[in-house]
Structures are given as structure tokens and as C-alpha cells.
């Protein structure tokens, strides 16, 4: 082959990728063009009248039948699992199968959704990957066989669906013949063990009885789907013979599968519309029946699948995490993890959407005059004030449900209680305003679904400024705005409008009064949201609580950052029955703990869990900033991801001495300081006012020379109240204070002595801080401390190898080339001359957070808030 010619592999790959999108698009366009001819004379008003005339009880019965039909498909999984000897209880397998089939019917992308959900669920139940994949393979092969049998029977009986012209007639026959050939292909394929090499090695060839059993189950499955369609058409008044329906349904289902469009949407409906209208069935009734079929066989099972799937996966989050990793490692299976991995988030989200939908339903029922013939019956049984009040209150409760859906999405307990009461009241109002039985049943069904997830609503507050809250609020305002627009247009178009008119026929007047109810509901909800679910103010500790913290630190140890607690700028979270303490700050929706918990060793792991639950109850994200290496295993085991921030420099004080070559630089700084007339002193609290004035003078000069403002959280700041908690290291020149640092004493056996705030005059001699550090190290050693911390070198050794995470490798570029903004390398070099031991410091955060955004939040927290961070 000529080396200049492009390889055929990539070209073939591009062609297949293009066909993957072009084929479904061509099917859809072709079907819509053909169906468009029939739709030119389509009567939408007739469709609306037909839908409204469908009896509620019968429609509910068909919906239950459709759910049972979708659930029946799980018997194929059950039969295959028994043959494969998969040790899984049949209720769990049928539940998993229902979720997979319900989602695959509507959302399927070349089998990815159904297969992905099955793989995820089977893995969560510890089913070996090889056997789980074999079950999926048998299910995928067997499912179309029933459709093939159905088509063969239709052809044998001469039941070919009518077509608008001869071309479409022969095309329909060709499609049906191709579908009929799948059955013998299936029997040949599954009868050849070499072609079934993907089965487990110890598993024999599928016996003929199993293959026929799976085909029989598939046949019944497709017959149930066709029966659901026939029931829907019957309720819509479309009279269709069973044979004609089987032929049309078979052809439409085959084209829907071949098109690769999720649910065959558009293609299947268009083919059925063409075939049935060509047979003389009225368009409006066919359209109404197909619309009802989409609702009961696709939409309702999908919502039920999302609801069941969300709960099923939420109970197995560790398995979900492991499965995501396994999928990520396998490029062929990775695509299956996308739809499956998102399921765990959908359980409560679906309930929130249903709550929002309940609010929309109440407003729509108030708008439609076609529904008001039922009011004649209601008004004859109720007093006029009760009848009119029911309509007005239903608009009010509808708007409240639109707003409260955000609280359901946020898992807020008080929102759950209010929604339940509102749904029950709305169901009662639906009956008293017009005997809307279907509306009442839907509202009660939403209430029942919420009840099954009662334990999920544990939060006491939620974010009022997040993008999610804004999205729900925009949805609320949009629906209410449309309601107002239609209501105002109705009023302006009624020349005989009378605001005070009442009775069953006074629709416009009742709608105008409903506008006031909608506005009142909107105001009530906004007031409720502003006060009832607002996050409470987090208290700052007083002197007594800080004394309790110091007692705990002295008894059990306080870690690297314990002394920073006494700045008083952090909140204190007492966990594990007051045996552990976490100091944290709040920025946006983050609760950022400084270091690992402190306290009794046995209480540290429960403390992390308590803090995480506390954050979740307020719809916040728990983060632990600057966790050191000895604590990493704890956070890893509790489901946190880790990001390296830099390295901490620790000096073993037993090795410290100003003699010898190792400490030559410090020794020279001490000798030079003597020639500069520098003197080192230690001062213990309390400090007199004269010293405090000197400290403030040095600090102000340092800040002015550096052009900086005071920081906080993980960095010390000038505060006499903070200084009173520990000793100060002072450097004088001829009795003039020129430099100082406050010392952080060690707490517990693992604690380190350290220096926090360091300030010096601009004209202090070079080497003044080296002189201070040398004496502080000597003083700490003489006090009996084991180690001294020189603080962290930010970004040091982060992303230093090609196998590091992408985020850390990007951060390594900042360490290498970002000295223009911060002297990263200079800090590392300065601390290196003390010959320290380097210990990694990490950020521990829940999976899924954006690390750059999180680091920006922490930088703003250190700066004192986003206003200081952005504007200084």
C-alpha cells in the first residue's frame, strides 16, 4: 500500500459514525414527510375533544396494564439468569429489569441505556462481570424474536398494513419479511457455541428448550405491548381489528427498532398513523390513541423506572463508585456508565418534577373552558361560595406546588410536609370545583410516591442563591407568567366581562379572580422561601467555648492548625458527643474545615461523618483543607477525593543545633545579628499596652510595605485577642522592636510547635527572620517539643510525575511558571535550608466537585470573602 494513501480504518470509522446519525435522521425525515401529507388536514380540536372524553377510570386501568406489560419483560432476564446460575433473588432481578426496560423503551441509544443499567445493577449485587454480560447478551438476542414471530403470523394470515401507495405497500412487505427472517437467524446463531463464545467458558451451549422458552416469553411481551396500544385506541374511539393492528404494529415496531431513534419516536407513530388512517380510521382518534399509548407505555414506566432506579442505586453508592471506575477503564463499556451512573440522582428529582407538574396541572385545569361542563354537576351539589372558593384555592395551591417543587428537589423536610398537605387539599378541591377524578387521582399518586421516599427529606435548609434555585424560580415565574398572559387575553377578549359574576358559566370572571390567587400564591411562596428554608447564621465561638476547645486539644491533641482556632474567625463543630472538634469556615455553599478533626482517636471517623451529615442537612458541601498524610486513609475510606496542595516542612528538634555544616547558614545569621546589635526575647501573655503598641507599629509598616491586607482562616492576622493565647518571639535593635512572630504551641503527642504571624520593619537588617527562627527553634527544643513546623510550601511536588491527575499536572505549571504572582519556588528554597522532613498536605472533598472552583472559594475564604478577594 502506498504510504501516502490514508489508512482505510479511520475512514471506515468516520463513515460508520456518520451513518449512526444519518440513518435515524433519514428514517425520521422520511416518515414525517409521508405522515405530513396525512397531517395537513389534521383536526387538533378533535384530538383535544377525544382526549378529554377518555374516561379516567378506564385510562388508569390501561396505565396499570401497561406497567404490568413492561414489568413482564423481566421474565426473559429471569429465565436467562436461572440458566446462567446467577445467584440473585428474583424480586431484585425483576426490579432491576423493570428499571432497565422502562428506561430503554424511551431513552435507548443503541441498547446502551438498558445494558448499562443492567450491568450497573448486577455489579451492585456482586454478580461476576462475565455472567452479567452473558445475561445481557441473551436478553438482547431473545427480545426481538417475539416481534419476528408476530410478523410471521401476520404474513401467514395475509394481514399486511394498508399503505398510501404501491411503493409504500411493497416497502412494508420488505420490512416485514426481513423481520420474519430474524427468528431462524436467532435459532442458528444461538445454536452455534463458537458464535456464542462470549458466554462463560464453563457454560455449555444454550439448549433448544431455553431458546424456544425465551422466544415464547418475547412473543407474549410484544403481544402485551400491542394489546396496550389496542386498548388505548379503543378508549380513543378508534375501531381497529386485532389482525390489522398486529400487522401495523409489527411493521411500525420493526422500523422503530431499525431507525435507532430512542423509543422509535416519530417513526413508529408515523407508520401507525399512515397505516391506520389508510384503513379508514379517523385521524383524530388515531392521534389521541397514539398519544395515550406514549403516555402509558413509555412516559409513565420511564418515570417509575427513574424513581425505582434512583432509590435502588442510592442504596448502593459504593458499588456505583466502583462500577464507574471499572467502566472508565474499559473503553467499550464506558459509554454504558453515562446513562447508568446518572440514575442515582434521579429518584428525588423525579418527585420534584412531578410536584411541579401537579402545580401545572392545577393551573391548566383552571384555564381550559372545555372542562367546565363538569362544573354544572359540581355546582348543583355544592353551595356557590364553596364552588367558587374551590376554583380560587386550586389556583393558589397550584402556584404553591410550583414553588415547593424546589424544596422537594432540595430534600427539605418542611417542604415535604407542606407539599403533602397541599396535594391532599388540591385533590379535594379538584373534586369540589368540577369532579376532576383523574386530576385528584394524579395528585394523590404524587403524594403516595413522596411518602415512599419520606426518609430522603432530611435537610433543614437549602441554598437560595444557587443556579439550581434560580432555575426552579425561573420555571415558577414562566408558568405563572403564561397563566397570567392567557388569563389577561381571555378577559380582554370578553366584551361582557364582569369581575363579580359567579356560577358555572362565568369562566372568564372566575379566571380573572384566579389571577389574584396566582399572584397571592407567588408572594406567599417567595416569603416562605426567604425565611423558612434560609440557612441559619453560623455562630462564632465565645471565650468559654474556646477554653473548652483548648482543654480538648491539650487532652487529646490538636493537630497542625489547632492554635488557629483561637483567632475566633472560624465556627466550631462539636462531634461524637463532644469528643471531637472541627474548626471550619463557610463560603458560598461550602463548609471548609481547617485540617482533620481533633479529639479522641476513636471519635475522629464519626466526627467526619457527623460533619458531613451536618453540611448535607443545610444543603452545603463539606471540605477538609490541608489534611496531612497520616489522616489520608480515613478520608479515602469515607468517600472523599484527594488533591495535593503542597508539602509541610517539619524540623526534628532533636537534630537541631547551630554547630556543624548543616546549620551553617543559620549560624552565620546569628553571628551577623550580633554585629547588627539585634536581641532576641520571648514574651508570655498577658502583654502590656506598650508592647501591643509596638507590635501594631511593626505590623502596619509591614502591611504598608507589602501592599497587603489582613488574611484569615488558615493564616494568622494581627489581633491582640489572638496573641493572648500564646507566646511571642520578639527581635529588638537597641531596644526598638523591629520584628516579631507569634508562636503556636504543640497540642498532644502529634502536635508541632510552629510560627504563625511574622512581621518586620522594612529597614530591618537582612537575616533578621533567620535570626528569629534560629532562636525560636532553640527555645522550642529547650521546652521539650519534638518537632517544629515551618509551614507549607504551596504546590511543592504537586503533579511532579506524568501519571499524576490532570488537575495536579496543571497546578504543577503554576509552581513552575507562576513566580510572577507568588514566589512558590522561593518559599520552597527558603525552607529547604532548615533541612526539614516534607509531609504532603491535601484537600479532601466529595467526589464530583470542580477543584479549581473549590480552590477559588478557599482563596476567597482566606481573604475574608469574595468582596475582599476580588477588590482587596
Amino acid at each position: 500500500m502506498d504510504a501516502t494513501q490514508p489508512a482505510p480504518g479511520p475512514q471506515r470509522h468516520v463513515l460508520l459514525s456518520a451513518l449512526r446519525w444519518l440513518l435515524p435522521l433519514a428514517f425520521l425525515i422520511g416518515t414525517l414527510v409521508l405522515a405530513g401529507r396525512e397531517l395537513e388536514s389534521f383536526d387538533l380540536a378533535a384530538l383535544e375533544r377525544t382526549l378529554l372524553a377518555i374516561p379516567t377510570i378506564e385510562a388508569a386501568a390501561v396505565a396499570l396494564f401497561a406497567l404490568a406489560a413492561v414489568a413482564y419483560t423481566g421474565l426473559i432476564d429471569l429465565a436467562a439468569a436461572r440458566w446462567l446460575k446467577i445467584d440473585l433473588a428474583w424480586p431484585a432481578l425483576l426490579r432491576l429489569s423493570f428499571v432497565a426496560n422502562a428506561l430503554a423503551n424511551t431513552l435507548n441509544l443503541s441498547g446502551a441505556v438498558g445494558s448499562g443499567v443492567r450491568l450497573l445493577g448486577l455489579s451492585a449485587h456482586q454478580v461476576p462481570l462475565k455472567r452479567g454480560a452473558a445475561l445481557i447478551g441473551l436478553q438482547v438476542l431473545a427480545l426481538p424474536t417475539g416481534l419476528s414471530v408476530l410478523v410471521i403470523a401476520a404474513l401467514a394470515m395475509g394481514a399486511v398494513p394498508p399503505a398510501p401507495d404501491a411503493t409504500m405497500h411493497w416497502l412494508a412487505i420488505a420490512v416485514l419479511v426481513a423481520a420474519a427472517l430474524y427468528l431462524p437467524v436467532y435459532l442458528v446463531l444461538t445454536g452455534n457455541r463458537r458464535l456464542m463464545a462470549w458466554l462463560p467458558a464453563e457454560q455449555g451451549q444454550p439448549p433448544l428448550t431455553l431458546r424456544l422458552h425465551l422466544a415464547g416469553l418475547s412473543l407474549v411481551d410484544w403481544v402485551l405491548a400491542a394489546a396496550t396500544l389496542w386498548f388505548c385506541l379503543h378508549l380513543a374511539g378508534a375501531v381497529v381489528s386485532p389482525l390489522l393492528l398486529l400487522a401495523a404494529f409489527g411493521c411500525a415496531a420493526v422500523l422503530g427498532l431499525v431507525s435507532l431513534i430512542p423509543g422509535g419516536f416519530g417513526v413508529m407513530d408515523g407508520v401507525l398513523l399512515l397505516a391506520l388512517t389508510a384503513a379508514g380510521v379517523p385521524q383524530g382518534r388515531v392521534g389521541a390513541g397514539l398519544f395515550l399509548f406514549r403516555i402509558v407505555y413509555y412516559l409513565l414506566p420511564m418515570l417509575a423506572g427513574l424513581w425505582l432506579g434512583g432509590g435502588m442505586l442510592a442504596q448502593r453508592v459504593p458499588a456505583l463508585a466502583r462500577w464507574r471506575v471499572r467502566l472508565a477503564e474499559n473503553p467499550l463499556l464506558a459509554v454504558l456508565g453515562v446513562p447508568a451512573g446518572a440514575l442515582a440522582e434521579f429518584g428525588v428529582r423525579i418527585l420534584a418534577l412531578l410536584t411541579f407538574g401537579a402545580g401545572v396541572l392545577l393551573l391548566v385545569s383552571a384555564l381550559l373552558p372545555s372542562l367546565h361542563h363538569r362544573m354544572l354537576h359540581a355546582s348543583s351539589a355544592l353551595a356557590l361560595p364553596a364552588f367558587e372558593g374551590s376554583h380560587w384555592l386550586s389556583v393558589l395551591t397550584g402556584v404553591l406546588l410550583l414553588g415547593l417543587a424546589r424544596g422537594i428537589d432540595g430534600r427539605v423536610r418542611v417542604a415535604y410536609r407542606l407539599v403533602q398537605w397541599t396535594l391532599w387539599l388540591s385533590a379535594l378541591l379538584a373534586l369540589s370545583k368540577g369532579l376532576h377524578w383523574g386530576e385528584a387521582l394524579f395528585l394523590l399518586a404524587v403524594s403516595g410516591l413522596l411518602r415512599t421516599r419520606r426518609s430522603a427529606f432530611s435537610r433543614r435548609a437549602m441554598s437560595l442563591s444557587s443556579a439550581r434555585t434560580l432555575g426552579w424560580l425561573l420555571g415558577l415565574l414562566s408558568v405563572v407568567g403564561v397563566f397570567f398572559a392567557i388569563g389577561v387575553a381571555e378577559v380582554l377578549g370578553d366584551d361582557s366581562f364582569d369581575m363579580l359574576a359567579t356560577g358555572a358559566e362565568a369562566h372568564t370572571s372566575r379566571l380573572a379572580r384566579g389571577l389574584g390567587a396566582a399572584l397571592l400564591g407567588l408572594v406567599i411562596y417567595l416569603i416562605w422561601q426567604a425565611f423558612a428554608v434560609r440557612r441559619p447564621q453560623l455562630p462564632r465561638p465565645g471565650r468559654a467555648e474556646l477554653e473548652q476547645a483548648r482543654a480538648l486539644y491539650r487532652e487529646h491533641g490538636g493537630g497542625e492548625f489547632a492554635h488557629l482556632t483561637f483567632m475566633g474567625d472560624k465556627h466550631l463543630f462539636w462531634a461524637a458527643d463532644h469528643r471531637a472538634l472541627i474548626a471550619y469556615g463557610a463560603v458560598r455553599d461550602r463548609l471548609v474545615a481547617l485540617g482533620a478533626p481533633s479529639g479522641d482517636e476513636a471519635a475522629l471517623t464519626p466526627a467526619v461523618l457527623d460533619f458531613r451529615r451536618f453540611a448535607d442537612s443545610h444543603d452545603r458541601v463539606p471540605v477538609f483543607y490541608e489534611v496531612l498524610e497520616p489522616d489520608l486513609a480515613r478520608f479515602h475510606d469515607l468517600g472523599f477525593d484527594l488533591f495535593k496542595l503542597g508539602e509541610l516542612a517539619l524540623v526534628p528538634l532533636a537534630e537541631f543545633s547551630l554547630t556543624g555544616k548543616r546549620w551553617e547558614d543559620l549560624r552565620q545569621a546569628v553571628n551577623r545579628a550580633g554585629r547588627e546589635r539585634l536581641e532576641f526575647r520571648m514574651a508570655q501573655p498577658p502583654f502590656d499596652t506598650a508592647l501591643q503598641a509596638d507590635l501594631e507599629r511593626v505590623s502596619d509598616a509591614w502591611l504598608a510595605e507589602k501592599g497587603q491586607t489582613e488574611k484569615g482562616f488558615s493564616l494568622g492576622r494581627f489581633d491582640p485577642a489572638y496573641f493572648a493565647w500564646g507566646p511571642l518571639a520578639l527581635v529588638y535593635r537597641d531596644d526598638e522592636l523591629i520584628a516579631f512572630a507569634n508562636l503556636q504551641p504543640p497540642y498532644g503527642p502529634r502536635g508541632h510547635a510552629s510560627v504563625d504571624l511574622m512581621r518586620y520593619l522594612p529597614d530591618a537588617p537582612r537575616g533578621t527572620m533567620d535570626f528569629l527562627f534560629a532562636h525560636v527553634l532553640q527555645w522550642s527544643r529547650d521546652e521539650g517539643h519534638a518537632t517544629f513546623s515551618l509551614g507549607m510550601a504551596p504546590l511543592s511536588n504537586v503533579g511532579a510525575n506524568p501519571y499524576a491527575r490532570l488537575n495536579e499536572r496543571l497546578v504543577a505549571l503554576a509552581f513552575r511558571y507562576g513566580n510572577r504572582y507568588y514566589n512558590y519556588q522561593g518559599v520552597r528554597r527558603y525552607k529547604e535550608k532548615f533541612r526539614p522532613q516534607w509531609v504532603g498536605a491535601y484537600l479532601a472533598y466529595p467526589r464530583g466537585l470542580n477543584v479549581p472552583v473549590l480552590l477559588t472559594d478557599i482563596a476567597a475564604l482566606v481573604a475574608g470573602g469574595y468582596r475582599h478577594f476580588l477588590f482587596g
Side-chain angles (χ1 to χ4, degrees):
M1 179 184 294
D2 188 352
T4 61
Q5 296 296 320
Q11 290 183 344
R12 185 164 55 250
H13 177 73
V14 172
L15 180 61
L16 290 175
S17 299
L19 287 175
R20 180 186 179 87
W21 295 101
L22 291 176
L23 185 61
L25 187 62
F27 266 102
L28 184 60
I29 293 175
T31 306
L32 291 179
V33 168
L34 293 172
R37 301 173 185 173
E38 301 294 326
L39 293 174
E40 289 177 356
S41 59
F42 199 82
D43 189 353
L44 290 177
L47 174 64
E48 179 188 357
R49 288 192 299 270
T50 303
L51 286 173
L52 293 175
I54 293 175
T56 301
I57 303 300
E58 286 85 341
V62 172
L64 292 176
F65 182 84
L67 288 172
V70 175
Y72 173 86
T73 313
L75 295 181
I76 297 176
D77 296 64
L78 189 61
R82 286 178 176 173
W83 181 70
L84 291 167
K85 297 180 175 60
I86 293 177
D87 186 18
L88 181 60
W90 65 267
L93 182 61
L94 290 181
R95 181 183 181 186
L96 172 61
S97 175
F98 177 84
V99 173
N101 293 326
L103 299 183
N105 281 351
T106 307
L107 306 175
N108 213 11
L109 300 170
S110 302
V113 171
S115 300
V117 172
R118 281 184 172 86
L119 275 172
L120 176 63
L122 293 171
S123 176
H125 286 93
Q126 285 78 49
V127 174
L129 179 61
K130 188 74 172 178
R131 292 195 173 275
L135 185 148
I136 293 169
L138 287 174
Q139 194 268 349
V140 169
L141 286 174
L143 191 59
T145 57
L147 182 59
S148 181
V149 174
L150 204 62
V151 170
I152 291 173
L155 290 175
M157 292 181 287
V160 178
D165 50 47
T167 302
M168 288 297 297
H169 174 75
W170 288 109
L171 179 61
I173 292 178
V175 168
L176 292 175
V177 169
L181 292 175
Y182 180 79
L183 179 63
V185 171
Y186 160 79
L187 294 174
V188 172
L189 175 64
T190 54
N192 190 322
R193 188 61 179 82
R194 287 183 299 174
L195 297 177
M196 302 285 284
W198 41 266
L199 288 172
E202 66 277 8
Q203 202 76 35
Q205 178 180 330
L208 180 61
T209 53
L210 173 66
R211 290 179 280 153
L212 293 177
H213 180 52
L214 294 177
L217 292 174
S218 174
L219 174 62
V220 176
D221 179 52
W222 286 100
V223 169
L224 289 175
T228 305
L229 174 60
W230 188 86
F231 285 135
C232 292
L233 292 169
H234 177 74
L235 287 180
V239 180
V240 183
S241 70
L243 280 180
L244 171 62
L245 180 67
L246 285 178
F249 178 77
C251 185
V254 170
L255 284 175
L257 289 175
V258 173
S259 72
L260 303 179
I261 294 174
F265 187 77
V267 174
M268 183 175 177
D269 310 83
V271 172
L272 285 169
L273 183 66
L274 285 170
L276 296 181
T277 52
V281 185
Q283 287 178 339
R285 295 180 179 180
V286 173
L290 291 175
F291 180 80
L292 183 60
F293 178 64
R294 281 290 176 184
I295 295 294
V296 300
Y297 194 79
Y298 290 91
L299 180 60
L300 289 182
M302 182 192 72
L303 293 177
L306 288 171
W307 175 70
L308 285 174
M312 176 183 69
L313 299 181
Q315 296 170 4
R316 301 177 180 274
V317 173
L320 175 61
R322 291 193 300 271
W323 184 244
R324 282 174 174 169
V325 172
R326 293 172 68 183
L327 290 178
E329 294 172 351
N330 189 325
L332 294 177
L333 298 179
V335 67
L336 304 181
V338 176
L343 274 180
E345 304 296 329
F346 272 112
V348 175
R349 182 67 57 83
I350 287 299
L351 294 177
L353 292 173
L354 288 174
T355 302
F356 191 86
V360 173
L361 177 63
L362 289 171
L363 295 186
V364 169
S365 68
L367 285 173
L368 291 178
S370 56
L371 295 177
H372 284 71
H373 68 277
R374 299 179 182 178
M375 292 185 173
L376 295 173
H377 302 288
S379 59
S380 63
L382 292 172
L384 187 60
F387 170 71
E388 295 289 350
S390 297
H391 183 278
W392 191 87
L393 285 173
S394 69
V395 175
L396 176 67
T397 57
V399 174
L400 290 178
L401 287 173
L402 291 175
L404 289 170
R406 169 62 183 108
I408 296 299
D409 186 37
R411 303 170 186 255
V412 180
R413 185 69 177 173
V414 65
Y416 164 78
R417 295 193 182 107
L418 286 175
V419 166
Q420 288 287 41
W421 284 104
T422 306
L423 286 170
W424 298 337
L425 175 61
S426 300
L428 180 61
L429 295 173
L431 298 178
S432 59
K433 72 180 181 183
L435 302 178
H436 297 303
W437 297 100
E439 187 178 312
L441 287 174
F442 175 76
L443 296 169
L444 293 176
V446 174
S447 174
L449 291 174
L450 280 168
R451 177 74 180 181
T452 63
R453 290 292 178 85
R454 182 181 180 182
S455 60
F457 299 95
S458 58
R459 290 177 179 166
R460 293 177 287 172
M462 66 182 185
S463 171
L464 301 184
S465 58
S466 65
R468 179 177 291 187
T469 297
L470 180 60
W472 283 101
L473 182 60
L474 289 176
L476 164 65
L477 295 177
S478 299
V479 173
V480 173
V482 170
F483 180 78
F484 262 83
I486 296 175
V488 170
E490 189 84 10
V491 169
L492 294 178
D494 188 351
D495 296 334
S496 60
F497 169 70
D498 179 5
M499 185 71 175
L500 301 179
T502 58
E505 301 299 332
H507 171 64
T508 305
S509 302
R510 192 163 34 253
L511 185 55
R513 293 190 292 273
L515 298 181
L519 182 60
L520 178 61
L522 182 61
V523 171
I524 290 174
Y525 170 72
L526 292 177
I527 294 174
W528 175 84
Q529 178 178 271
F531 295 99
V533 294
R534 179 182 294 276
R535 291 166 176 162
Q537 290 293 326
L538 298 169
R540 296 290 172 85
R543 179 76 188 194
E545 191 173 8
L546 292 178
E547 290 285 2
Q548 292 177 8
R550 181 157 66 174
L552 180 137
Y553 291 157
R554 286 174 172 172
E555 180 181 358
H556 297 290
E560 176 69 20
F561 310 103
H563 196 75
L564 291 172
T565 302
F566 305 122
M567 281 201 301
D569 65 339
K570 288 170 279 294
H571 315 286
L572 301 185
F573 179 77
W574 295 90
D577 298 326
H578 259 62
R579 294 181 296 122
L581 176 63
I582 296 173
Y584 68 96
V587 56
R588 293 201 307 125
D589 63 341
R590 327 286 197 189
L591 296 184
V592 185
L594 183 57
S598 301
D600 184 357
E601 183 67 29
L604 299 184
T605 296
V608 176
L609 293 175
D610 287 348
F611 185 67
R612 193 161 192 174
R613 282 189 285 264
F614 170 74
D616 184 67
S617 70
H618 293 91
D619 194 21
R620 292 182 183 264
V621 179
V623 179
F624 288 82
Y625 180 63
E626 294 198 34
V627 175
L628 302 184
E629 288 179 4
D631 296 304
L632 295 187
R634 174 179 295 110
F635 288 94
H636 175 272
D637 292 345
L638 294 177
F640 285 84
D641 270 354
L642 300 168
F643 177 87
K644 190 171 184 180
L645 299 167
E647 292 185 324
L648 194 72
L650 298 178
V651 178
L653 292 176
E655 302 175 6
F656 177 74
S657 171
L658 290 179
T659 62
K661 185 172 179 62
R662 176 179 178 184
W663 307 103
E664 183 178 358
D665 290 344
L666 285 183
R667 186 169 61 254
Q668 290 177 359
V670 171
N671 294 335
R672 187 167 53 249
R675 295 191 294 271
E676 297 283 353
R677 304 184 309 280
L678 301 187
E679 179 186 0
F680 176 80
R681 301 177 192 173
M682 288 295 301
Q684 297 288 345
F687 308 114
D688 58 40
T689 55
L691 176 57
Q692 292 185 22
D694 285 342
L695 294 172
E696 187 171 8
R697 173 179 55 84
V698 173
S699 177
D700 291 345
W702 185 88
L703 290 172
E705 195 267 337
K706 298 293 185 183
Q708 295 189 11
T709 58
E710 295 285 9
K711 306 298 184 183
F713 187 63
S714 62
L715 299 176
R717 65 168 181 266
F718 185 87
D719 182 358
Y722 171 49
F723 291 165
W725 290 89
L728 292 175
L730 311 172
V731 177
Y732 287 84
R733 180 175 57 186
D734 298 332
D735 289 331
E736 178 194 8
L737 183 67
I738 64 170
F740 73 90
N742 74 308
L743 268 65
Q744 300 185 94
Y747 296 95
R750 288 171 52 186
H752 315 299
S754 181
V755 167
D756 180 20
L757 194 70
M758 297 175 291
R759 303 280 163 92
Y760 53 88
L761 292 177
D763 61 347
R766 187 172 64 88
T768 297
M769 299 312 293
D770 286 349
F771 171 72
L772 183 147
F773 267 114
H775 281 284
V776 166
L777 288 167
Q778 283 182 321
W779 180 86
S780 299
R781 182 197 60 195
D782 296 342
E783 288 291 310
H785 304 325
T787 55
F788 189 92
S789 171
L790 297 173
M792 189 171 71
L795 309 188
S796 174
N797 269 338
V798 178
N801 68 79
Y803 300 104
R805 295 182 178 184
L806 177 61
N807 277 333
E808 294 183 351
R809 281 182 285 161
L810 292 175
V811 165
L813 298 178
F815 180 80
R816 204 169 302 156
Y817 305 110
N819 274 9
R820 175 181 175 185
Y821 304 100
Y822 183 87
N823 191 14
Y824 296 107
Q825 298 180 34
V827 170
R828 171 82 186 200
R829 285 195 300 269
Y830 177 79
K831 295 179 179 182
E832 278 283 11
K833 68 182 180 181
F834 293 89
R835 304 296 189 268
Q837 297 174 354
W838 293 99
V839 178
Y842 292 78
L843 180 71
Y845 59 95
R847 291 189 178 100
L849 292 187
N850 185 292
V851 174
V853 173
L854 184 54
L855 293 177
T856 304
D857 288 333
I858 295 173
L861 179 61
V862 172
Y866 265 98
R867 183 172 63 85
H868 294 288
F869 177 68
L870 296 174
F871 307 109

